[in-house]
Amino acid sequence: MNSDIFNNPLFQSLAPEKLRFIQEFHQMAKPSDSKQAAPFFMQMMQQARQKGIQFTPNETELLIQLLKSNMSEADQKKADMMLRFFHRKNWQEHILEASCYMGNLMS
């Protein structure tokens, strides 16, 4: 995905800290498979929340599109399934559930 996505009118009205977070996310090295992508994404969303940044579903979808940009077609489809799952509930609920789940796996 190229940086033309930031020309979208949606991003011209974003708060500066939210836009900065998305641009930094766009530039960072991201996992190339869906198994690593989910924990990576959840960690990034938790970091955003700690900074007081909350994303709308459209903004979150953009982040997932950026995350999928260097994945194989098969892994992109798996990431799409994750996106559909996340759209069913409130994003904050998912982050809390995932954090608890990841904590249980690591204990």
Side-chain angles (χ1 to χ4, degrees):
M1 183 166 290
N2 59 38
S3 60
D4 290 340
I5 196 148
F6 293 105
N7 293 329
N8 183 320
L10 169 70
F11 301 107
Q12 294 174 5
S13 62
L14 286 178
E17 63 276 0
K18 197 181 273 194
L19 183 58
R20 189 171 25 259
F21 186 91
I22 292 173
Q23 289 171 329
E24 289 171 3
F25 184 85
H26 177 62
Q27 294 174 355
M28 67 178 37
K30 293 173 267 320
S32 59
D33 67 76
S34 59
K35 285 184 182 180
Q36 295 174 346
F40 173 83
F41 184 75
M42 287 181 247
Q43 180 182 19
M44 295 307 301
M45 293 299 95
Q46 190 170 28
Q47 287 179 14
R49 196 175 101 236
Q50 289 171 348
K51 294 178 180 182
I53 301 171
Q54 294 184 1
F55 294 103
T56 66
N58 288 338
E59 294 162 354
T60 304
E61 189 167 337
L62 167 72
L63 289 168
I64 291 175
Q65 295 302 320
L66 292 172
L67 181 64
K68 292 178 3 180
S69 65
N70 63 338
M71 290 183 184
S72 70
E73 189 173 327
D75 279 322
Q76 286 184 16
K77 288 180 182 179
K78 290 176 186 175
D80 285 339
M81 288 173 51
M82 178 180 73
L83 175 62
R84 283 192 297 274
F85 172 77
F86 279 131
H87 273 290
R88 289 187 206 150
K89 288 186 176 180
N90 183 329
W91 283 100
Q92 286 74 26
E93 290 176 25
H94 288 297
I95 291 169
L96 290 173
E97 288 172 9
S99 296
C100 292
Y101 177 74
M102 296 299 282
N104 289 337
L105 287 177
M106 295 178 180
S107 337

